[in-house]
Amino acid sequence: MIIPFQQLDPDTLQNLLEEYATRDGTDYGEREVSLVDKVASLRRQLQSGEVVIWFEPGEESVNLVLARDITDDV
């Protein structure tokens, strides 16, 4: 289920973005990118609607996913 980022407490959203940006496997290429820049990029993607916050109740997990990857049958 999609969780609208606007409904999250600002501190909760910040923590979520920081946690996601520091996960193993979130590769930003060959150049070094600061955590501040990573979080700012994720925030812009949320605001533009390119990325959404996805909560998976069965797994009790939260992820950021591309909005285009969400289908009606998910």
Side-chain angles (χ1 to χ4, degrees), residues 10-28:
D11 289 337
T12 301
L13 178 60
Q14 181 69 23
N15 290 337
L16 173 68
L17 295 175
E18 288 178 3
E19 188 275 330
Y20 186 84
T22 57
R23 285 183 187 176
D24 287 340
T26 53
D27 187 15
Y28 288 83

Side-chain angles (χ1 to χ4, degrees), residues 7-51:
Q7 293 181 4
L8 294 178
D9 176 80
D11 289 337
T12 301
L13 178 60
Q14 181 69 23
N15 290 337
L16 173 68
L17 295 175
E18 288 178 3
E19 188 275 330
Y20 186 84
T22 57
R23 285 183 187 176
D24 287 340
T26 53
D27 187 15
Y28 288 83
E30 292 184 20
R31 70 181 180 97
E32 197 64 31
V33 179
S34 72
L35 179 59
V36 170
D37 290 340
K38 291 175 186 178
V39 169
S41 176
L42 290 169
R43 191 178 298 275
R44 281 191 300 274
Q45 292 174 65
L46 279 170
Q47 291 169 339
S48 73
E50 180 182 354
V51 168

